[in-house]
Amino acid sequence: MMNRTLRRATLPLALAATVVAVTSCGGGNTRFEQPVIGARQKAVLTVDSYRFRDANGNGQLDAYEDWRLSAQARAADLVARMSLDDKAGLMMIDTLNPDFGGAVANPANDYLVNQRMRRFIFRSTVTGSPVLSASPGLNGQAVTPLQAATWTNAIQEIAEASSLGIPVLFKSNARNHYDRAARFGTTSDAGAFSEWPKEPGLAATRDLALIKDFAQTMGAEWKAIGLRGMYGYMADTATEPRWFRINETFSEDFDLNADIVRTLVENLQGGPVNPNTPVALTMKHFPGGGPQEMGLDPHYSFGKNQVYPAGQFGNHLKPFKAAIDSGVSAIMPYYGVPIDVTYEGVRYDQIGFAFSQQIVNDLLRGKLGFKGYVNTDTGVVTDRAWGLEGKTVPERVAAAINAGNDLLSGFHSRQTILDLVAAGLVTPGRIDEAVTRVLIEQFQLGLFENPYVDAAQAANVVGNADARAKAMDAQRKSIVLLQNLPRGSGKTLPLPAPTATAPVKIYTMGLNAGVVGGADYGGYTVVNGDYGRGTPNATRPSAAGADYAIIRVEVTNPYAPSTAGPFATPTGLYRSKDPLWGANPAFIDPRTGKTWGAQDSCVLQPVLNPVCVDDAVGLLGPGTAAGLLFGGSLPWEGNNLSFTTMAASASWQVAPKLGDIQAVMNEVGADRVILAIYFRQPYVLDEASGMRKAGAILAGFGVSDAALMDVVTGKFAPKGKLPFALANNLQAVIANDPDAPGYPAADTLFPFGFGLGY
């Protein structure tokens, strides 16, 4: 008979792991490693010298509370104890953020208690100096690492106090990257976290050991604040240069991407999920979000189509196969609709991937053998049900669940699922299957033993000096030297160091003049050429007389919603039914012969879809329409990927202005100009722009001014290799097959893998 003692935890409890020998029923000795037990609302059971959380508070050790059993056995036991209400809650995930200062606020009580949800998307920026936002929307208020950790602990306490004590799993999009234009719903600001180059920059290093270090460093930072799940990374392949989300992919090479994805699963997740896993991954966007028709994104109705004219559907699966073989915990299908796609004898239905049994059940689970859970992309059953625009939200929910999705993202109506079961549209067995799959991850992570973190240590882990040093080294290694023309007896780069007798005068635009002229680089004489709002100059100073000019070039699709008043941008003002924008007959979609907004569900099926995708309010705060919130240009300017066409576009912004870049090149001499270009996408350095005449051109993928200067001055020799090819003309981009990487040799300016050194 087992010895049972019960001890009530009156204070937060974290018991150190120990190894205890016990006698099994068969008479032999079985040794188990005692995990850390964290309990704040329930008792701790001691059974045969082991300690367990009494999750349901019944005073006895139940199978789902016994960490000695397999995750599968524990999940099966718990599912048998759950009501249908509890199960429905576990099939939903939505955004939940702390209030300013880290306080627990609505809708926490509704989600946790009424909807019985146990998975949440954490979007708040974590920073050392939070500033109160008057209208945070779903981005949430900024918090410190201590506040974030304290808040996740507080949410876990609420969950622990519930009848079954099921813990919470927090997920987030990517955070640990240098990104000065993070977009809602896809990326988050790094804030206090270590800032590594963007995903193409990691690929540019061609260093899997560095990526392993990145994964382990990031994992420790996330775990310190209670973030144990990630919507990422993107296993999509960068075959369509016009796609706005290229900077979240790694490269255009299927095999390189597979190697990187495998490395991330093995190190960020630690292989198949286990109690030592820092962060469980949800790899996205199955079966590959790269081949977007015309580069348009399926967050918007005009971008719903995915096409494979080069027949590369199978190659786009390679990174996902690597993730599955490595034990990835979850997979996310994309919103996109496959157009005229046949693969291995199967012709795929033209509905969103998440609704396709052929994609989720047959391909992902059947052919590829995926055993984890499937997590839909956010809003797929409410806002972006491409192919099912004529169905009600409950019908879409049923279609998604029956297609094999286990977790609905951006959804929080438990009653909808209950009603579907009552109506016989979703079976109780399918519900049990889905809930079992999602629970297994929570058991494997050890959250049922200890969901809490040491909040006091969070600030010592997040963005510590060692993590930042590693990130800075990765930034340096990611920079690609594209061009370095002869100058005198040498090359344009590295720059000569200044001396007392031979000072070097540098003209800068887009850089911190204090960094460029700092003592770390010998004390260059710097003339800051930036001007306008937020700068000390009303007009641009001349570059004449400078020895060199360093211009940091960044391209964006500026976004500011209508509430920004005179600073609102075209992408913030766009509406599908607005006669100035999506319904303007001056702008016609060449594929349909109709206006660009004509495909929106609010136009096709207005009774079922009274709100257009771009009208959605609440994402940014009460009453603020979203516009093209998730990024990208106006759809009719999507082809404008050359610097000349971007400079002339309403929804693209080249900074500094192309005219200023050309003027500086004329004033100082093109051979004395160093262009450091952030290739957020594979932009075209077209001949007409004049930028090819620069003495040196460097490609960056999310780097600081200091990392750039280390390479420019020769403190660090450039090592990066291009993660994607760069075309030498815009027509090559437009004519490119969206599912195929690269360009014909005659159309290639710099091929994949190109990179010079010193």
Side-chain angles (χ1 to χ4, degrees):
M1 181 177 179
M2 290 193 298
N3 172 41
R4 285 189 174 90
T5 62
L6 175 64
R7 180 154 63 89
R8 176 68 57 182
T10 57
L11 295 172
L13 180 64
L15 302 171
T18 58
V19 177
V20 182
V22 299
T23 302
S24 69
C25 296
N29 288 336
T30 303
R31 295 172 63 86
F32 295 99
E33 184 175 349
Q34 170 71 58
V36 173
I37 301 297
R40 299 186 178 188
Q41 297 293 321
K42 298 288 179 65
V44 174
L45 299 170
T46 300
V47 179
D48 287 343
S49 301
Y50 291 102
R51 299 174 181 87
F52 306 84
R53 267 207 329 176
D54 187 15
N56 60 11
N58 67 357
Q60 63 184 26
L61 181 63
D62 298 305
Y64 86 93
E65 299 164 336
D66 191 344
W67 45 261
R68 296 170 298 183
L69 302 178
S70 70
Q72 291 76 11
R74 297 175 73 184
D77 178 73
L78 178 53
V79 169
R81 298 171 186 272
M82 296 171 68
S83 68
L84 183 58
D85 283 354
D86 293 325
K87 295 172 185 177
L90 286 192
M91 294 179 65
M92 304 182 297
I93 179 172
D94 212 337
T95 299
L96 185 63
N97 295 314
D99 205 348
F100 191 68
V104 175
N106 290 329
N109 186 71
D110 179 43
Y111 285 1
L112 285 158
V113 179
N114 298 332
Q115 303 301 333
R116 307 192 192 185
M117 296 166 66
R118 290 297 181 269
R119 272 175 171 74
F120 301 112
I121 308 168
F122 176 80
R123 300 189 191 273
S124 291
T125 297
V126 179
T127 174
S129 53
V131 176
L132 178 66
S133 172
S135 183
L138 292 186
N139 277 320
Q141 295 285 358
V143 289
T144 67
L146 171 62
Q147 291 167 346
T150 302
W151 178 80
T152 60
N153 281 345
I155 297 295
Q156 295 288 8
E157 285 194 52
I158 297 172
E160 186 188 353
S162 65
S163 60
L164 293 171
I166 300 172
V168 166
L169 177 65
F170 295 99
K171 292 189 176 186
S172 171
N173 287 302
R175 290 176 177 266
N176 289 66
H177 300 282
Y178 188 96
D179 190 348
R180 297 203 280 202
R183 281 302 187 98
F184 170 81
T186 58
T187 57
S188 296
D189 287 320
F193 288 92
S194 56
E195 288 185 288
W196 300 66
K198 288 289 291 178
E199 292 88 331
L202 291 175
T205 69
R206 297 299 196 276
D207 188 342
L208 292 179
L210 180 150
I211 295 172
K212 174 181 177 180
D213 207 5
F214 158 74
Q216 294 174 346
T217 302
M218 170 187 159
E221 290 182 290
W222 282 43
K223 190 174 182 180
I225 66 167
L227 268 179
R228 300 297 300 278
M230 182 187 185
Y231 274 165
Y233 268 88
M234 280 172 49
D236 307 324
T237 301
T239 53
E240 172 49 80
R242 292 169 292 182
W243 187 32
F244 177 80
R245 301 190 71 178
I246 284 284
N247 77 325
E248 298 172 70
T249 69
F250 291 101
S251 81
E252 69 171 34
D253 187 85
F254 301 110
D255 294 321
L256 175 59
N257 290 354
D259 288 341
I260 293 173
V261 164
R262 185 180 300 109
T263 300
L264 291 172
V265 176
E266 291 174 350
N267 294 280
L268 183 51
Q269 187 177 280
V273 179
N274 61 82
N276 294 319
T277 290
V279 179
L281 299 177
T282 300
M283 205 63 66
K284 56 188 186 181
H285 303 89
F286 191 80
Q292 306 307 135
E293 187 177 42
M294 297 180 68
L296 302 168
D297 188 79
H299 275 94
Y300 314 118
S301 59
F302 52 70
K304 67 181 73 171
N305 295 346
Q306 287 191 210
V307 295
Y308 300 82
Q312 298 292 307
F313 184 91
N315 278 331
H316 280 269
L317 295 176
K318 281 187 177 181
F320 292 95
K321 290 179 180 178
I324 293 167
D325 292 344
S326 301
V328 72
S329 187
I331 295 285
M332 176 186 289
Y334 210 18
Y335 307 111
V337 174
I339 302 299
D340 297 328
V341 175
T342 300
Y343 176 66
E344 294 187 345
V346 177
R347 184 170 180 81
Y348 288 102
D349 296 335
Q350 292 187 182
I351 56 175
F353 289 124
F355 300 114
S356 173
Q357 294 198 44
Q358 296 171 312
I359 291 292
V360 180
N361 278 332
D362 299 344
L363 178 60
L364 178 60
R365 294 197 184 280
K367 289 187 178 181
L368 301 186
F370 177 63
K371 303 299 183 186
Y373 69 91
V374 177
N375 187 144
T376 74
D377 211 334
T378 302
V380 73
V381 297
T382 52
D383 302 320
R384 300 171 190 86
W386 309 138
L388 299 186
E389 293 94 338
K391 301 293 185 180
T392 65
V393 169
E395 288 173 326
R396 298 168 189 171
V397 170
I401 294 173
N402 291 329
N405 296 273
D406 307 301
L407 191 64
L408 304 175
S409 184
F411 193 70
H412 54 261
S413 173
R414 176 173 54 87
Q415 190 61 46
T416 299
I417 299 175
L418 299 179
D419 292 344
L420 290 172
V421 175
L425 297 177
V426 176
T427 67
R430 174 68 190 104
I431 298 295
D432 286 355
E433 179 182 55
V435 174
T436 299
R437 286 170 176 163
V438 299
L439 277 173
I440 285 172
E441 182 182 61
Q442 283 152 292
F443 282 115
Q444 291 172 327
L445 284 168
L447 292 174
F448 276 86
E449 281 59 70
N450 182 24
Y452 299 106
V453 297
D454 185 348
Q457 290 300 312
N460 296 328
V461 178
V462 175
N464 62 44
D466 182 58
R468 289 187 176 278
K470 291 177 179 178
M472 177 62 76
D473 189 52
Q475 288 184 29
R476 298 184 191 100
K477 291 180 178 178
S478 71
I479 296 172
V480 180
L481 180 60
L482 296 177
Q483 181 164 290
N484 196 16
L485 299 181
R487 179 165 176 76
S489 59
K491 302 273 190 173
T492 303
L493 295 179
L495 290 182
T499 66
T501 57
V504 177
K505 184 178 181 180
I506 296 180
Y507 185 92
T508 66
M509 295 194 79
L511 290 96
N512 185 326
V515 172
V516 177
D520 287 346
Y521 308 108
Y524 289 108
T525 302
V526 178
V527 176
N528 184 353
D530 295 326
Y531 67 100
R533 192 169 57 144
T535 71
N537 301 317
T539 58
R540 185 183 64 81
S542 173
D547 296 300
Y548 296 93
I550 306 175
I551 304 176
R552 180 165 180 159
V553 183
E554 295 200 19
V555 179
T556 58
N557 302 113
Y559 174 85
S562 57
T563 51
F567 301 109
T569 64
T571 58
L573 295 172
Y574 179 92
R575 303 285 182 277
S576 290
K577 296 198 293 186
D578 191 323
L580 293 177
W581 303 103
N584 190 337
F587 304 114
I588 296 297
D589 183 342
R591 301 165 300 176
T592 65
K594 300 178 181 179
T595 57
W596 287 93
Q599 294 188 63
D600 201 313
S601 52
C602 65
V603 177
L604 297 175
Q605 299 283 345
V607 174
L608 294 172
N609 307 280
V611 178
C612 300
V613 172
D614 45 68
D615 282 337
V617 297
L619 299 178
L620 298 174
T624 303
L628 303 183
L629 172 65
F630 298 95
S633 67
L634 294 169
W636 52 86
E637 293 184 344
N639 286 340
N640 298 357
L641 216 63
S642 72
F643 277 91
T644 297
T645 56
M646 289 188 293
S649 300
S651 60
W652 292 90
Q653 178 176 288
V654 179
K657 296 176 182 178
L658 180 59
D660 288 333
I661 295 171
Q662 294 167 337
V664 171
M665 294 177 76
N666 288 331
E667 290 165 0
V668 76
D671 62 329
R672 296 173 179 267
V673 173
I674 297 99
L675 297 179
I677 305 171
Y678 173 29
F679 280 93
R680 193 192 182 287
Q681 293 170 248
Y683 305 125
V684 178
L685 286 162
D686 58 302
E687 190 74 46
S689 72
M691 296 171 72
R692 294 188 201 174
K693 298 176 182 179
I697 304 174
L698 300 110
F701 308 95
V703 299
S704 64
D705 290 347
L708 176 62
M709 284 301 296
D710 284 349
V711 171
V712 167
T713 60
K715 289 183 67 174
F716 188 93
K719 296 181 178 180
K721 304 298 179 184
L722 275 179
F724 38 64
L726 300 180
N728 62 20
N729 67 90
L730 181 57
Q731 186 56 39
V733 171
I734 297 171
N736 176 63
D737 288 333
D739 60 326
Y743 311 96
D747 291 323
T748 302
L749 182 63
F750 298 109
F752 166 80
F754 182 85
L756 303 173
Y758 292 156

